[in-house]
Amino acid sequence: MLMKLLSGDRPASPVLTVLLLVILIGLAFAPFLFPGSKPLETAARICIFIVLVASYDLLIGYTGIVSFAHTMFFGLGAYGTALGLSLGGASFAAAGLGALGGVALAAVLALAIGLFSLRVKAIFFAMVTLAIASAFAVLVSQLSFLTGGEDGLNYKIPRELTPAFKLFAEPVLGLRIDGKVLSYYLIFGVALVLFLTLLRIVNSPFGRVLKAVRDNSFRAEAIGYKVVRYRTAATVLSAVMAAMAGVLLALWLRYTGPATTLSMEIMVDILLMVVIGGMGTMYGAVLGAVIFILAQTYLQSLMGLAEQATAGIPLLPDLVAPDRWLLWLGVLFVLSVYFFPTGIVGRLRAGKA
């Protein structure tokens, strides 16, 4: 049963298996294990970014396509949901209709990009996607009457997903089950289904063709596969999954703006998570997202403690000052690439650790 859920894709490493189980248990019981708003916020972001990073890995890791338009699809899902809730009211119907519109538009744009751009060489395709994503970000900023411009959109979500809603009168295992907890489990459940769907896709005959296209597109074409069609299909599937991640983010944050969905910084973060976890491995998206977001969230606080602990040592407190956390995040990334050139998952699988 478990192997069916994983589509036969075994972790193939005892250490990796333990890590994935710890992450799954941690996310499944996050409200009970890590009380407080910040841990719950972090867990929700991890769930959302696992889907987003895995959808990008479908492109770059399994198909060999480098795209810089992934945040555009992410933003389309988020903005579609935001507009649905802003214009249609705080109802599940409005959220669903907006989400459907955003995901559909993402699929259409991905199809257009695939059909018109995937015939060019890889570097030119990357530049085309970067230009389209930049133009879309400018368009969103200019259409302030609809998108809120640089300020973004604030909106209400269904009451059942807000802290004001109480599912039970009494706490369960010491936790009051309110709408925020229900919202988290909605995010977790949908993210889990989407991840398992992506896992099924890459382990299907379609996924094996994508790997053949990635390894040698000329050979794949020679034996009868329409390479452009497969690349286009992968682009559309990746865009749809990214848009679904955007839908989850919009429901969780109750705010959608360019800084939270469309910025190049998010695109770089996605790429870093893929590289850290390991390209061409869905499990790499899980580890990459968890490690990066935990470091992004807690590294500054840990460095504050380190600064206090080394207060009497010359120079060291300045090096570990909290305002230098981005420097040390960069150092961690360089070290991870140096010691894990194929990503953490690739290294664990190669060593069968």
Side-chain angles (χ1 to χ4, degrees):
M1 180 62 182
L2 181 60
M3 281 299 102
K4 286 185 178 180
L5 284 175
L6 297 179
S7 302
D9 192 346
R10 297 175 181 273
S13 162
V15 173
L16 179 58
T17 302
V18 171
L19 288 174
L20 292 173
L21 282 174
V22 168
I23 292 170
L24 177 61
I25 293 170
L27 291 176
F29 299 99
F32 299 93
L33 296 175
F34 313 106
S37 59
K38 186 174 181 179
L40 194 63
E41 175 74 24
T42 303
R45 287 186 63 226
I46 287 173
C47 292
I48 293 167
F49 270 86
I50 284 174
V51 176
L52 183 60
V53 175
S55 67
Y56 189 63
D57 196 31
L58 177 65
L59 270 186
I60 192 172
Y62 285 89
T63 317
I65 298 173
V66 179
S67 169
F68 293 112
H70 214 60
T71 50
M72 179 180 72
F73 304 128
F74 184 50
L76 280 169
Y79 271 101
T81 307
L83 287 171
L85 290 167
S86 298
L87 301 175
S91 67
F92 286 104
L97 188 61
L100 183 62
V103 172
L105 184 56
V108 170
L109 281 177
L111 179 62
I113 292 172
L115 291 177
F116 290 106
S117 303
L118 282 170
R119 296 178 185 275
V120 301
K121 291 183 179 180
I123 185 63
F124 297 109
F125 175 74
M127 293 301 101
V128 168
T129 58
L130 178 60
I132 293 173
S134 300
F136 182 79
V138 171
L139 181 65
V140 168
S141 297
Q142 295 296 321
L143 297 177
S144 56
F145 67 94
L146 184 64
T147 63
E150 293 295 332
D151 295 329
L153 294 172
N154 289 289
Y155 42 87
K156 294 181 179 180
I157 61 175
R159 184 176 179 275
E160 290 80 5
L161 301 179
T162 64
F165 177 78
K166 301 293 188 292
L167 184 62
F168 301 113
E170 300 297 326
V172 177
L173 299 178
L175 178 70
R176 187 170 293 279
I177 309 297
D178 59 14
K180 194 70 173 177
V181 175
L182 294 179
S183 180
Y184 171 76
Y185 277 110
L186 174 65
I187 302 295
F188 171 77
V190 174
L192 181 61
V193 170
L194 292 176
F195 178 78
L196 292 175
T197 301
L198 282 167
L199 201 60
R200 179 64 215 148
I201 289 172
V202 299
N203 288 287
S204 67
F206 173 78
R208 286 190 282 274
V209 175
L210 292 184
K211 293 176 187 177
V213 170
R214 175 199 63 192
D215 294 338
N216 194 319
S217 60
F218 295 106
R219 184 180 298 169
E221 189 83 45
I223 61 178
Y225 292 112
K226 302 295 183 182
V227 170
V228 172
R229 291 183 183 177
Y230 278 94
R231 284 177 171 169
T232 302
T235 302
V236 173
L237 284 171
S238 176
V240 167
M241 291 298 179
M244 287 299 300
V247 171
L248 297 180
L249 183 72
L251 289 174
W252 179 255
L253 289 184
R254 289 184 286 179
Y255 165 80
T256 298
T260 59
T261 56
L262 301 175
S263 72
M264 182 53 64
E265 182 181 347
I266 296 175
M267 187 67 245
V268 173
D269 289 347
I270 295 169
L271 185 57
L272 291 178
M273 293 180 207
V274 170
V275 173
I276 291 170
M279 284 192 288
T281 61
M282 283 291 133
Y283 298 129
V286 177
L287 292 185
V290 170
I291 292 170
F292 190 88
I293 291 176
L294 286 179
Q296 200 176 49
T297 305
Y298 293 106
L299 183 59
Q300 194 170 9
S301 301
L302 291 174
M303 288 180 66
L305 295 175
E307 184 183 29
Q308 294 175 10
T310 57
I313 304 174
L315 294 178
L316 199 55
D318 291 331
L319 287 174
V320 297
D323 57 356
R324 301 183 190 276
W325 73 277
L326 277 175
L327 169 66
W328 289 105
L329 187 63
V331 170
L332 288 174
F333 171 68
V334 172
L335 291 175
S336 69
V337 173
Y338 180 79
F339 289 105
F340 303 98
T342 58
I344 295 173
V345 171
R347 180 64 179 270
L348 291 176
R349 283 179 163 176
K352 301 295 182 183

